Amino acid sequence: MNGRRIIAVASKEIREVARDKLFAVLAFVLPSFLMLLLGVCLSMDVENIPIAIVDNDNTPESRDFTSRFSSSRYFNLVSIAYDDRELDPLLKNNVIRAVIIIPAHFGKNINKGRPAPIQTLLDGTYTSRAQITKGYISSIIASMNGNLLAQYISRIKGIPLDRAQIAVRPVSVDSRYLYNPSIKSVLGLAPRLLVLILYMVPPLLTGLGVVREKETGSIFNVYASTLTRGEYLIGKLIPYVGIAFLNAIVLLLIALLVFGAPFKGSMLFFLVSTLAYVVSTCCLGLMISTLMTTQAAAMIFTAIVTQITAVNFSGVMVPVGSLSPGGQKIAHLFPCMFYTRIIEGTFLKGTGTAQLWLNVLILVIFSIVLFTISYLQFHKRTNA
Amino acid sequence: MATASVLNGDGSALPIRVSEFGKSYGKVVAVREASLDVVKGEMYGLIGPDGAGKSTLMKSIAGVLAYDAGSIEVFGQKVDSEESAELIKSRIGLMPQGLGLNLSPDLSIEENIDYFARVRLVPPSELEARKDRFLKMTRLDSFRNRPMKNLSGGMKQKLGLICSLIHLPELIILDEPTTGVDPVSRRDFWAILSELSRAEGMTALISTAYMEEALRFDRVSLMHEGRFLASGTPEELVGLVPGTMVELRCPNQIEALGVLREYYAQVEPRGEWVRLLADTADRDKAKSEAISFLPPDLQPTEVRTWDPDLEDVFIALLRQREQTEGEATSAAGTVETYAALPEEQMERTAIEAMELTRIFGSFTAVDHVTFQVKQGEIFGLLGANGAGKSTCIKMLTGILPPSSGEGQVSGADMRFAGQEIKERIGYVSQAFSLYIDLTVLENIMLYAGIYGVPKDLRPERAEWVLNVAGLSGRGDAKVASLPMGLRQRLSLGCALVHQPSTLFLDEPTSGVDPVGRRQFWDILYRLSRVHNVAILFTTHYMSEAESCDHIVLMFAGRVVADAPPESLEDNIENQVGHLLEFRTSDPPNALGLVTSIFPEALAYGSRIRLISSDPTGDEQRIREILTEHGIQVLSVTPKPISMEEVFVHTVTSLERESEKAKGAA
């Protein structure tokens, strides 16, 4: 192992990356761009659902009912109509997601103590959104029922309305969301995006590193030189680890400053474990690079492997605990899940070395295994 | 360990010793039974067309490619595993094939050199001095900070050479360093290499596809389809085929060709001449015999004789091997019938470029190019990679609009011409335009459709194309299974399927072996002489220039010469003088002495060449200075000026003029 030769390879590589426009964009712009894009677009909060109400009754009761929707932050009342046929095109063109139809005699039925049915039409194309919408509508109706009941009791029994309210709802729920008090999904998502982006971009860059030289033929300079296999691979790895780490810090700042994510753990521990993570993801790229012979193949292969595993097994989009037993086993074969735990711990929970050291160790082991495979795969004397 | 029989003069092990070497890629045999010894300080050449196995052998010697059979020893070290190969790497340098492909395009000249030096652990103190020396020698020192991607092909190769030499290896292996490089840079390249190998006592193994470069080496091996045809000094190789080249100028070239082919195995057209190889070294006998075979109406008006050159020898050796081993020669193609040209078209200029210019950004690819091609003429557009040849063709065929000027084919601008006129053009592009997963016949039918050949005519035409390409009966073969030479003839056949009156060929013979190239030329001659087709073709083989009726030399987008090849050569002879070749008893020291009085003298292997305006006087002066220093002059031979010299002298004198003009201003 000769340090000067490693530096020679690394410094050449970093200059090439910085001067190649496409490569420089991939290396320095793409990660931040992905972070901002996904942070804004991937928000899983369901708010401001556009709805319309058809009021066939037009009484104080029906207007009270309508106002409960128009004042809710979960709904955006787009239109109040008196004929449900007007709303068909709005549903078809995705202008509204749900329609609530208040029949005639709605107010009269309530006042007479008779059942007062209403109808809701939901856009069911996206199931989970439809279910969430239905849940919101049901809870608004439940709260209205509760109020009506309380009014009725206070009227009949002659007790004050607030006591009647308590009598109607003896058990009340007061939820406090730990780690993300306002349950704004972006606060939890932004830190987790580091897992995805640092898993998809660095291997792509590193993956091209060795293959590019194979494709142009400059790899023969390496083969015919006194560079050892280890020196060459380490020299190739260092610049990309450096770039990835730099990106990690930029992404951290975006998460904290742009998206306002909390950070409760130890910064030092976070940086050390992030370094371990990017080394492991760069080694993944290096391994692919030594296996492939063309840049196109390396790129497609890296993209497929990292995207599929990142989306399914990283614990970012779907918690690993809710995967099937088989899926959970697969998740342990890739480094991203372990880093997700570190991210959740340091950003949201404030846990540190004591609880998370094993995950860092696993990342180091990933790096060692992937680098060893690369080393065994890479030969300075080839067969073709 | 080396045995006594494989030592250099000083008792050390030979730089390269290869015996019974063999290597296959899957089922394809790349090299078989190759044996080779290279002595210390020698410049050894591997010469052969694409696919001959040169790269395979060189990479195996450099220890970067595993092989199947035989053994390789480098400096006495067996190279048979990844570990043993590592042991020789500090003593060798390798420059892989491809123009600048082994360099980093975004790094500057200096940064590229530094990278190689640092990888090789050259001490920084020595590096500076060495770098200065090499950069000066290659005349690259004023471009130190220029990114490699902005260098010309010749500059890239010189930089590549510096990079592989920066650690002063004892053995340097260069894979086709001069392919596609212009003759001026090529001459520079050889001068630098021979100076270095002399100064450092370096051994060099170099491959090339140019037969005429054989003379640059001390010893060469001719390779063809993975085998060594012959090895030895260039003189020894020429001596293998005793004979005389006879060139005759006959009233009817094509008919004379037909007659003489019955008596000689190697007969081909060359410009207005018919050229043949007679198997006697007696020139007068060869001449009179050839004349006697011709009937009275074909009697030559002029006859001349030469020693055979290496390309003739290569073909003769191949022929001999085929006779002894009974290998089938692929049949040559023929063009019997062809669409007759309309009367009025015969009068017209077939191709005309008028001040054609094309500018890409700040780079002028083609700079006010003007020339004319007549019907029935073979017109060569010569120049190195990047000289602007392909851009010219693209503008003439209407693929690329010119920045200014105009190009016409049959009197029409192709950009605006109707389909009917467009169908008068055939075009074979630089990259193969064949679909290699389709069969021969499927390719022909595809082109027949593209060129608008009427449906009922197509089967007949397909048969005709198969004949032209010499592929009769092989219509169902996949193109991928055909060798390079045949594929090239097939792409020519496809471009002819509509029997156009004008043919554009962009580097059609690049990488094709000499036999394939000559068969290709046979077809071109028939098309031009019998069927009056105008042919414009580009090449970077200077040797092919002599086969043209007329040539235009391009350099950096400009036309630097425009005349029939012979008159260009005569011009140079009148202007600058005759080419002399000296053989001496002590080549390295002789070169130093000769260059002290003739700075432009060049080493050609163990020979020295120079152009002299006063051959007898100069010969006398050189003999005097050499005998003074105890060096014997073995022979002095006058040599014919080749297109290579024409190009070099035209370009260098133009450069001198422009420098003078700058100085005056």
Side-chain angles (χ1 to χ4, degrees):
Chain A
M1 248 336 125
N2 182 304
R4 280 173 59 202
R5 286 200 291 247
I6 295 178
I7 294 170
V9 175
S11 70
K12 175 202 148 210
E13 191 71 16
I14 196 107
R15 274 186 241 198
E16 285 197 284
V17 173
R19 289 184 202 172
D20 184 315
K21 276 185 197 137
L22 177 69
F23 232 74
V25 167
L26 282 181
F28 298 108
V29 181
L30 182 67
S32 309
F33 174 74
L34 280 177
M35 180 81 178
L36 292 169
L37 185 78
L38 295 178
V40 171
C41 304
L42 257 189
S43 172
M44 288 169 215
D45 296 333
V46 182
E47 284 183 11
N48 292 323
I49 304 160
I51 57 163
I53 292 179
V54 181
D55 190 350
N56 290 326
D57 190 38
N58 206 9
T59 54
E61 288 75 19
S62 74
R63 285 193 290 273
D64 173 47
F65 183 77
T66 304
S67 73
R68 283 171 186 270
F69 284 90
S70 61
S71 61
S72 161
R73 77 169 158 119
Y74 297 108
F75 294 102
N76 173 21
L77 187 55
V78 174
S79 143
I80 299 175
Y82 298 97
D83 185 349
D84 55 346
R85 275 167 303 187
E86 285 171 37
L87 298 172
D88 210 38
L90 294 182
L91 265 174
K92 282 212 170 102
N93 297 325
N94 298 336
V95 177
I96 51 172
R97 297 291 180 193
V99 178
I100 297 166
I101 301 169
I102 305 170
H105 314 303
F106 175 73
K108 208 196 246 170
N109 287 341
I110 286 175
N111 292 330
K112 293 264 169 73
R114 288 199 293 260
I118 56 150
Q119 188 183 18
T120 57
L121 304 172
L122 290 169
D123 174 353
T125 46
Y126 189 61
T127 332
S128 82
R129 189 183 53 210
Q131 276 166 359
I132 290 170
T133 309
K134 182 184 160 223
Y136 288 161
I137 294 172
S138 304
S139 66
I140 284 180
I141 291 171
S143 118
M144 186 174 172
N145 282 336
N147 277 347
L148 290 172
L149 190 58
Q151 283 168 15
Y152 178 74
I153 288 170
S154 100
R155 221 178 31 241
I156 300 279
K157 295 257 171 136
I159 55 172
L161 186 62
D162 47 349
R163 276 197 52 212
Q165 295 272 26
I166 296 166
V168 173
R169 295 192 193 84
V171 181
S172 77
V173 181
D174 184 7
S175 316
R176 197 162 79 86
Y177 290 90
L178 293 173
Y179 315 129
N180 186 0
S182 55
I183 50 161
K184 279 181 89 175
S185 71
V186 70
L187 299 186
L189 180 69
R192 287 189 180 92
L193 284 177
L194 265 77
V195 180
L196 297 187
I197 295 168
L198 296 177
Y199 186 64
M200 296 194 294
V201 181
L204 191 69
L205 296 174
T206 325
L208 293 177
V210 176
V211 178
R212 196 166 33 143
E213 296 214 54
K214 282 190 199 167
E215 228 174 47
T216 60
S218 64
I219 195 79
F220 282 104
N221 294 327
V222 177
Y223 292 165
S225 77
T226 41
L227 270 173
T228 65
R229 291 192 275 160
E231 284 165 1
Y232 176 68
L233 293 177
I234 292 175
K236 276 275 166 183
L237 196 61
I238 289 173
Y240 296 107
V241 170
I243 292 171
F245 192 67
L246 207 70
N247 274 313
I249 291 173
V250 174
L251 297 187
L252 168 74
L253 293 176
I254 294 178
L256 298 180
L257 303 178
V258 177
F259 294 115
F263 190 89
K264 295 177 178 159
S266 146
M267 187 53 79
L268 183 68
F269 174 77
F270 169 78
L271 291 177
V272 169
S273 46
T274 298
L275 184 62
Y277 182 58
V278 296
V279 170
S280 74
T281 60
C282 285
C283 282
L284 176 66
L286 191 69
M287 184 191 78
I288 293 172
S289 207
T290 55
L291 293 169
M292 300 284 141
T293 49
T294 65
Q295 293 193 68
M299 238 168 124
I300 293 169
F301 191 77
T302 311
I304 289 176
V305 166
T306 57
Q307 277 173 28
I308 288 180
T309 53
V311 168
N312 294 305
F313 304 114
S314 65
V316 172
M317 314 299 272
V318 186
V320 173
S322 53
L323 294 175
S324 68
Q328 292 189 30
K329 281 198 190 103
I330 294 172
H332 284 76
L333 298 176
F334 302 95
C336 40
M337 179 192 88
F338 301 96
Y339 188 60
T340 306
R341 288 184 190 161
I342 293 170
I343 286 276
E344 286 169 353
T346 51
F347 274 85
L348 304 171
K349 295 186 182 166
T351 48
T353 323
Q355 299 86 356
L356 294 168
W357 65 271
L358 185 63
N359 294 294
V360 183
L361 182 68
I362 291 171
L363 291 179
V364 172
I365 294 172
F366 265 114
S367 305
I368 294 171
V369 169
L370 291 169
F371 187 84
T372 307
I373 297 174
S374 315
Y375 182 79
L376 295 176
Q377 275 300 322
F378 182 72
H379 292 289
K380 287 179 67 186
R381 190 167 178 264
T382 60
N383 248 319
Chain B
M1 283 307 294
T3 58
S5 61
V6 294
L7 297 179
N8 290 303
D10 59 2
S12 56
L14 283 181
I16 301 175
R17 184 170 171 74
V18 177
S19 57
E20 302 291 312
F21 174 86
K23 165 78 184 169
S24 309
Y25 299 101
K27 278 186 195 158
V28 183
V29 181
V31 180
R32 66 179 102 199
E33 294 154 31
S35 297
L36 165 81
D37 282 346
V38 179
V39 182
K40 186 163 183 266
E42 197 174 27
M43 232 157 111
Y44 199 102
L46 292 179
I47 304 182
D50 285 5
K54 307 187 295 291
S55 293
T56 299
L57 180 54
M58 296 180 102
K59 283 179 186 163
S60 300
I61 292 172
V64 299
L65 185 69
Y67 51 90
D68 318 321
S71 72
I72 292 177
E73 278 177 35
V74 176
F75 297 114
Q77 169 65 50
K78 263 204 155 41
V79 180
D80 54 3
S81 67
E82 193 166 1
E83 289 70 35
S84 63
E86 284 302 285
L87 299 173
I88 60 162
K89 297 209 172 140
S90 61
R91 304 174 76 177
I92 63 163
L94 168 71
M95 182 166 146
Q97 201 175 346
L99 271 183
L101 286 182
N102 59 327
L103 304 169
S104 305
D106 291 302
L107 299 194
S108 70
I109 288 190
E110 191 157 11
E111 285 171 323
N112 267 296
I113 300 175
D114 287 348
Y115 166 63
F116 280 81
R118 288 163 70 191
V119 160
R120 292 293 193 161
L121 302 180
V122 177
S125 54
E126 277 175 47
L127 173 61
E128 284 313 309
R130 224 179 268 173
K131 201 158 59 177
D132 283 346
R133 188 169 136 240
F134 286 168
L135 285 172
K136 242 184 221 110
M137 220 166 163
T138 46
R139 292 186 279 134
L140 289 174
D141 47 350
S142 46
F143 308 106
R144 276 173 183 251
N145 298 320
R146 187 178 288 190
M148 179 289 249
K149 61 183 174 196
N150 298 340
L151 300 177
S152 73
M155 288 162 98
K156 282 178 189 163
Q157 289 308 76
K158 286 193 274 188
L159 176 59
L161 181 64
I162 296 179
C163 289
S164 20
L165 285 178
I166 197 71
H167 58 295
L168 298 181
E170 295 165 67
L171 168 65
I172 176 125
I173 298 172
L174 307 171
D175 196 357
E176 297 209 14
T178 54
T179 298
V181 175
D182 69 276
V184 180
S185 305
R186 219 146 72 193
R187 189 196 55 168
D188 270 7
F189 191 90
W190 287 111
I192 295 158
L193 197 62
S194 59
E195 190 182 332
L196 275 169
S197 62
R198 230 166 1 98
E200 313 288 344
M202 203 173 61
T203 311
L205 178 68
I206 303 160
S207 67
T208 177
Y210 302 108
M211 291 282 157
E212 63 265 32
E213 285 192 324
L215 294 173
R216 304 281 187 174
F217 302 105
D218 297 310
R219 287 195 298 150
V220 297
S221 288
L222 296 183
M223 290 188 77
H224 183 72
E225 290 177 356
R227 281 189 222 208
F228 279 14
L229 285 181
S231 300
T233 65
E235 288 82 7
E236 281 169 359
L237 292 187
V238 172
L240 288 176
V241 181
T244 307
M245 291 309 313
V246 183
E247 288 189 328
L248 312 115
R249 198 199 284 272
C250 296
N252 187 329
Q253 191 186 24
I254 292 291
E255 269 183 46
L257 215 61
V259 173
L260 290 167
R261 282 222 162 112
E262 290 177 25
Y263 302 98
Y264 298 95
Q266 265 169 262
V267 184
E268 76 267 338
R270 210 165 248 210
E272 293 172 358
W273 302 79
V274 173
R275 184 182 153 119
L276 60 88
L277 179 67
D279 53 10
T280 168
D282 181 342
R283 291 192 175 194
D284 290 328
K285 192 177 161 214
K287 203 192 245 182
S288 56
E289 220 174 51
I291 297 172
S292 71
F293 290 133
L294 288 168
D297 60 323
L298 290 176
Q299 279 301 307
T301 53
E302 218 183 325
V303 183
R304 54 189 191 185
T305 53
W306 308 102
D307 287 332
D309 62 28
L310 205 63
E311 190 165 309
D312 301 311
V313 171
F314 185 94
I315 293 171
L317 288 172
L318 263 186
R319 216 181 54 220
Q320 284 172 8
R321 206 187 69 187
E322 275 160 10
Q323 277 166 3
T324 52
E325 298 183 9
E327 279 182 27
T329 330
S330 57
T334 54
V335 192
E336 294 309 330
T337 55
Y338 206 79
L341 276 187
E343 274 300 312
E344 79 276 5
Q345 206 174 321
M346 281 303 296
E347 323 280 296
R348 263 191 235 140
T349 310
I351 304 169
E352 191 165 16
M354 290 168 281
E355 299 283 316
L356 264 187
T357 302
R358 176 72 208 196
I359 298 166
F360 296 107
S362 61
F363 170 67
T364 307
V366 175
D367 192 0
H368 296 91
V369 165
T370 299
F371 59 77
Q372 291 190 341
V373 185
K374 294 196 275 288
Q375 282 308 144
E377 192 173 40
I378 301 183
F379 188 95
L381 204 53
L382 269 72
N385 286 346
K389 308 182 301 277
S390 297
T391 313
C392 255
I393 288 197
K394 282 185 186 148
M395 288 192 283
L396 287 169
T397 47
I399 296 171
L400 191 72
S403 304
S404 69
E406 203 184 335
Q408 292 190 341
V409 181
S410 310
D413 189 324
M414 277 303 124
R415 276 183 302 156
F416 313 116
Q419 190 60 29
E420 191 195 335
I421 294 179
K422 280 187 179 158
E423 279 169 13
R424 290 190 205 151
I425 301 184
Y427 177 42
V428 178
S429 76
Q430 205 165 357
F432 287 119
S433 35
L434 297 172
Y435 294 85
I436 61 169
D437 293 324
L438 298 185
T439 66
V440 170
L441 209 56
E442 283 165 341
N443 267 288
I444 297 173
M445 285 309 196
L446 175 70
Y447 279 96
I450 290 172
Y451 281 123
V453 175
K455 269 223 168 88
D456 48 332
L457 222 69
R458 283 184 201 171
E460 183 193 316
R461 268 307 158 76
E463 201 51 45
W464 178 84
V465 169
L466 287 174
N467 261 325
V468 170
L471 282 167
S472 294
R474 296 177 73 172
D476 294 328
K478 262 199 184 168
V479 171
S481 70
L482 299 179
M484 193 82 141
L486 278 184
R487 277 194 214 178
Q488 214 37 322
R489 259 156 43 198
L490 176 61
S491 38
L492 175 64
C494 286
L496 290 172
V497 70
H498 55 304
Q499 305 194 335
S501 59
T502 307
L503 199 52
F504 288 90
L505 307 170
D506 198 358
E507 299 202 0
T509 52
S510 177
V512 177
D513 67 287
V515 181
R517 224 154 70 197
R518 290 193 177 187
Q519 289 173 342
F520 192 85
W521 272 98
D522 257 12
I523 303 173
L524 296 190
Y525 267 95
R526 237 195 133 73
L527 285 170
S528 79
R529 300 295 184 262
V530 181
H531 306 297
N532 279 312
V533 175
I535 299 170
L536 185 147
F537 92 102
T538 70
T539 179
H540 55 245
Y541 287 101
M542 291 292 141
S543 64
E544 278 190 331
E546 266 127 69
S547 305
C548 302
D549 298 318
H550 194 103
I551 60 173
V552 154
L553 279 184
M554 284 188 75
F555 182 73
R558 286 176 305 149
V559 172
V560 294
D562 176 4
E566 278 172 61
S567 66
L568 282 176
E569 287 160 5
D570 291 346
N571 262 345
I572 293 291
E573 233 165 40
N574 295 336
Q575 280 169 21
V576 281
H578 298 269
L579 185 63
L580 292 180
E581 186 180 279
F582 291 80
R583 279 180 57 233
T584 62
S585 57
D586 183 1
N589 290 318
L591 183 67
L593 291 168
V594 174
T595 45
S596 68
I597 38 176
F598 292 99
E600 277 159 30
L602 289 172
Y604 274 69
S606 58
R607 295 152 299 270
I608 298 168
R609 280 188 172 192
L610 60 94
I611 292 181
S612 154
S613 50
D614 171 18
T616 32
D618 290 342
E619 187 185 327
Q620 202 50 43
R621 284 169 67 198
I622 288 169
R623 278 181 187 275
E624 271 166 28
I625 194 168
L626 290 180
T627 27
E628 221 171 89
H629 288 82
I631 298 172
Q632 261 184 297
V633 176
L634 302 177
S635 70
V636 182
T637 337
K639 290 279 166 186
I641 297 253
S642 70
M643 198 47 62
E644 187 112 5
E645 271 95 25
V646 171
F647 190 102
V648 169
H649 281 273
T650 314
V651 170
T652 44
S653 63
L654 276 172
E655 281 176 342
R656 240 175 274 142
E657 267 170 42
S658 76
E659 263 165 44
K660 250 187 237 165
K662 260 185 222 157

